[in-house]
Amino acid sequence: MKKLVLTILMTSFCFAANAGPQQEKMKTCNADASKKMLTGDARKAFMKDCLSTKDESMMHSQQDKMKMCNADAGKKELKGDERKAFMKNCLSSKQDSSLTAQQNKMKTCNADTKAKTLKGDERKAFMKSCLSGN
């Protein structure tokens, strides 16, 4: 983790012409990661996504939405045309655009536990693993 941050910082110093906006982005992403109390691989993945995002409004990627819609469709056990219609509606809707990436991940992991009918300690262990990205 320290190597990643050091590499990012060194890179930003090398590109002094773009240092202003990039440094601001680094500060913002770092602050967001700290607010979310992310550590280890989860923080690394968040920082990578955050720093590579060209526009703040694009923080919630289409891929995140696709994962969430897929999980919901799986939970509802939809097949064929019914699934296609659900996915089209889910991917085109803006209902979850206000959720953060971590909230989307939490929603998806919760849906997975329900689909697998996990309870108690088994559910806790799965949620811990799912939310940490393992």
Side-chain angles (χ1 to χ4, degrees):
M1 181 65 201
K2 289 179 182 179
K3 289 180 182 180
L4 173 68
V5 173
L6 183 61
T7 303
I8 292 170
L9 287 173
M10 294 295 285
T11 304
S12 66
F13 286 119
C14 292
F15 297 109
N18 296 326
Q22 187 63 23
Q23 284 178 334
E24 287 303 314
K25 196 171 197 179
M26 180 72 165
K27 286 180 188 177
T28 303
C29 292
N30 207 9
D32 289 348
S34 295
K35 283 180 195 172
K36 295 176 182 183
M37 295 184 279
L38 298 175
T39 59
D41 289 338
R43 184 181 182 95
K44 186 176 177 180
F46 174 81
M47 290 297 287
K48 181 179 177 184
D49 288 343
C50 183
L51 292 171
S52 67
T53 303
K54 291 181 178 29
D55 187 325
E56 291 299 316
S57 65
M58 297 302 291
M59 291 289 283
H60 311 289
S61 73
Q62 188 68 12
Q63 287 178 328
D64 289 340
K65 201 171 202 180
M66 182 71 149
K67 286 179 188 175
M68 199 172 66
C69 291
N70 262 328
D72 290 346
K75 184 175 89 173
K76 295 178 181 183
E77 298 178 2
L78 300 175
K79 306 257 189 238
D81 291 336
E82 206 174 69
R83 183 183 178 89
K84 285 180 189 176
F86 173 82
M87 290 297 287
K88 181 178 179 182
N89 184 42
C90 182
L91 291 171
S92 66
S93 71
K94 297 183 181 188
Q95 61 188 357
D96 291 324
S97 63
S98 64
L99 297 178
T100 65
Q102 187 66 18
Q103 287 171 324
N104 282 331
K105 195 173 195 181
M106 178 68 115
K107 189 173 182 178
T108 303
C109 291
N110 269 325
D112 290 347
T113 60
K114 288 177 184 172
K116 295 178 179 184
T117 63
L118 299 176
K119 304 250 188 250
D121 290 338
E122 193 176 45
R123 183 183 186 283
K124 285 179 188 177
F126 176 82
M127 288 295 288
K128 183 177 180 181
S129 174
C130 183
L131 292 173
S132 68
N134 295 335

